[in-house]
């Protein structure tokens, strides 16, 4: 596969440990895990896997350690069809770990062990520089790495999250064509409290002025708004049975990117994005399972208008 045909996802790779409990333990309480799941995780990996499942050639740039966990995660990513040749293996480092406590009501708490050595540096990004048709940058990485990633990107640039509020922020935002943020991140970007669709559309319009397309979620379980030069759409959540929203934003970003990178229209991108998100909330853990039949099911049910 020629790198120039790939989407490059720049973001976190980690080991995800999901522990399902009936009720979240309180202080000085313990809970028995009903199920333990271990999987390839981290937002960068989730987005890359989702893109691969959607049939897009994809490479991943993130950092793992030099421990056996890293071997296992990279093998899993390869098995998912992700080109992991850009992944940095940091010597003397333990691979990142994200523990998610998930209760029977779909509420979660994460404990993240993602110290600096498992985050990308500017040098990591420059060393991995390669031509790609699209670069998706997940903004929980240090701003120097995010800026290097958008600067060396040639094709479509998609940002996911909210950039750190520092001197690089304006340059990172200016380099993007598409920006996707959840309600919290959208609030950080615009200073608005994104609890309803009207506020979210106004906020997204403000963000979009510098981009081709912006999408922002509203409320914790409200929906998403999509705004581009020629129009806007609001999607409210359908009747998906929510087990765990983890990774739904990553699937949403991947769905959107899939259509845009193929030259599709925003309306079509929104539909696939919303279906991919809905298909990801019904199972525990952030790893997507975007099979054609699940996507068809949710495409039929999408409430976009
Ligand atoms: N019931 C639901 N059906 C469909 N999509 C949902 C549902 N609940 C939440 N979502 C979507 O899940 C996404 C979660 O985004 P985000 O918090 O960024 O997740 P993550 O960062 O874990 O990928 C949002 O875009 C939201 O609209
Ligand atoms: Mg997110």
């Amino acid at each position: 596969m020629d790198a120039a045909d790939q989407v490059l996802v720049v973001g976190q790779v980690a080991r995800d440990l999901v522990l399902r409990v009936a009720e979240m333990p309180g202080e000085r309480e313990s809970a028995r895990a009903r199920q333990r799941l271990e999987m390839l995780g981290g937002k960068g990996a989730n987005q890359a896997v989702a893109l691969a499942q959607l049939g897009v050639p994809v490479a991943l740039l993130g950092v793992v350690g030099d421990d056996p966990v890293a071997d296992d995660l990279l093998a899993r990513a390869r098995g998912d069809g992700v080109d992991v040749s850009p992944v940095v293996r940091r010597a003397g480092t333990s691979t990142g770990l994200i523990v998610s406590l998930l209760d029977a009501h779909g509420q979660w708490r994460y404990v993240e062990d993602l110290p600096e050595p498992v985050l990308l540096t500017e040098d990591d990004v420059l060393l991995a520089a390669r031509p790609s048709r699209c670069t998706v940058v997940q903004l929980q990485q240090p701003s120097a790495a995010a800026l290097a990633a958008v600067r060396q990107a040639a094709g479509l640039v998609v940002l996911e999250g909210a950039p750190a509020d520092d001197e690089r922020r304006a340059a990172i935002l200016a380099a993007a064509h598409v920006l996707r943020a959840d309600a919290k991140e959208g609030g950080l970007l615009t200073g608005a409290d994104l609890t309803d669709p009207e506020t979210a559309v106004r906020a997204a319009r403000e963000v979009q002025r510098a981009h081709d397309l912006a999408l922002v979620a509203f409320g914790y379980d409200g929906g998403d708004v999509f705004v581009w030069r020629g129009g806007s759409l609001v999607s409210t959540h359908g009747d998906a049975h929510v087990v765990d929203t983890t990774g739904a934003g990553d699937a949403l970003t991947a769905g959107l990117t899939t259509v845009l990178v193929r030259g599709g229209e925003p309306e079509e991108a929104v539909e696939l994005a919303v279906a991919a998100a809905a298909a990801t909330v019904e199972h525990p853990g952030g790893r997507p399972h975007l099979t054609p039949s699940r996507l068809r099911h949710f495409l039929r049910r999408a409430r976009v208008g």
Side-chain angles (χ1 to χ4, degrees):
M1 170 56 63
D2 188 343
D5 294 326
Q6 291 175 324
V7 171
L8 178 68
V9 178
V10 180
Q12 197 64 52
V13 189
R15 169 184 176 211
D16 263 8
L17 174 60
V18 182
L19 297 173
R20 297 182 79 177
V21 293
E23 300 294 336
M24 210 53 87
E27 264 178 61
R28 289 184 291 280
E29 280 179 8
S30 64
R32 188 176 63 83
R34 292 181 154 185
Q35 190 183 18
R36 174 168 99 187
L37 296 158
E38 300 200 42
M39 60 190 97
L40 167 66
K43 289 176 181 304
N46 289 343
Q47 290 172 20
V49 170
L51 283 160
Q53 290 174 348
L54 292 167
V56 178
V58 62
L60 175 61
L61 171 56
V63 183
V64 293
D66 58 358
D67 46 3
V69 172
D71 296 325
D72 177 48
L73 296 184
L74 293 179
R76 290 186 194 217
R78 274 187 219 104
D80 283 321
V82 176
D83 174 359
V84 292
S85 58
V87 171
V88 176
R89 291 202 68 155
R90 189 96 69 218
T93 300
S94 299
T95 297
L97 171 68
I98 302 172
V99 179
S100 168
L101 268 192
L102 174 67
D103 77 13
H105 317 286
Q107 299 298 328
W108 44 254
R109 287 184 186 171
Y110 303 149
V111 181
E112 304 187 336
D113 184 29
L114 301 172
E116 205 177 303
V118 297
L119 304 181
L120 286 162
T121 65
E122 184 178 2
D123 279 352
D124 292 334
V125 174
L126 296 176
L127 282 170
R130 56 204 262 150
S132 43
R133 69 206 262 222
C134 167
T135 306
V136 180
V137 181
Q138 187 255 306
L139 292 169
Q140 284 177 339
Q141 296 298 307
S143 62
L147 183 58
V150 298
R151 285 227 164 113
Q152 59 114 37
L156 184 75
V157 176
V158 178
L159 298 182
E160 208 271 338
D165 190 6
D166 66 13
E167 71 286 357
R168 299 186 186 95
R169 176 180 150 131
I172 293 171
L173 287 173
H177 303 99
V178 177
L179 190 133
R180 186 268 156 181
D182 68 22
K184 207 162 150 189
E185 295 155 347
L188 289 174
L189 265 173
T190 61
D193 190 11
L194 305 180
T195 48
D196 61 90
E198 293 74 27
T199 315
V201 167
R202 272 199 305 277
R205 190 55 82 193
E206 191 188 308
V207 173
Q208 178 267 321
R209 260 190 268 282
H211 310 294
D212 296 339
L213 194 151
L215 61 137
V216 175
F218 59 92
Y220 170 67
D221 49 12
D224 297 275
V225 303
F226 301 75
V227 172
W228 63 97
R229 278 198 193 99
S232 67
L233 284 170
V234 175
S235 137
T236 48
H237 296 153
D239 51 3
H241 170 62
V242 180
V243 173
D244 184 3
T245 59
T246 303
D250 299 326
L252 187 94
T253 303
L256 193 82
T257 302
T258 297
V259 174
L260 296 179
V261 88
R262 290 175 179 158
E265 294 302 318
E267 288 88 345
E268 193 196 336
V270 171
E271 278 187 17
L272 185 61
V274 167
T280 305
V281 300
E282 291 197 332
H283 56 76
R287 184 192 145 75
H289 298 279
L290 304 177
T291 60
S293 69
R294 288 180 65 73
L295 283 170
R296 268 197 304 278
H297 172 81
F298 285 106
L299 277 168
R300 278 199 303 272
R301 299 169 95 90
R303 289 204 307 225
V304 181

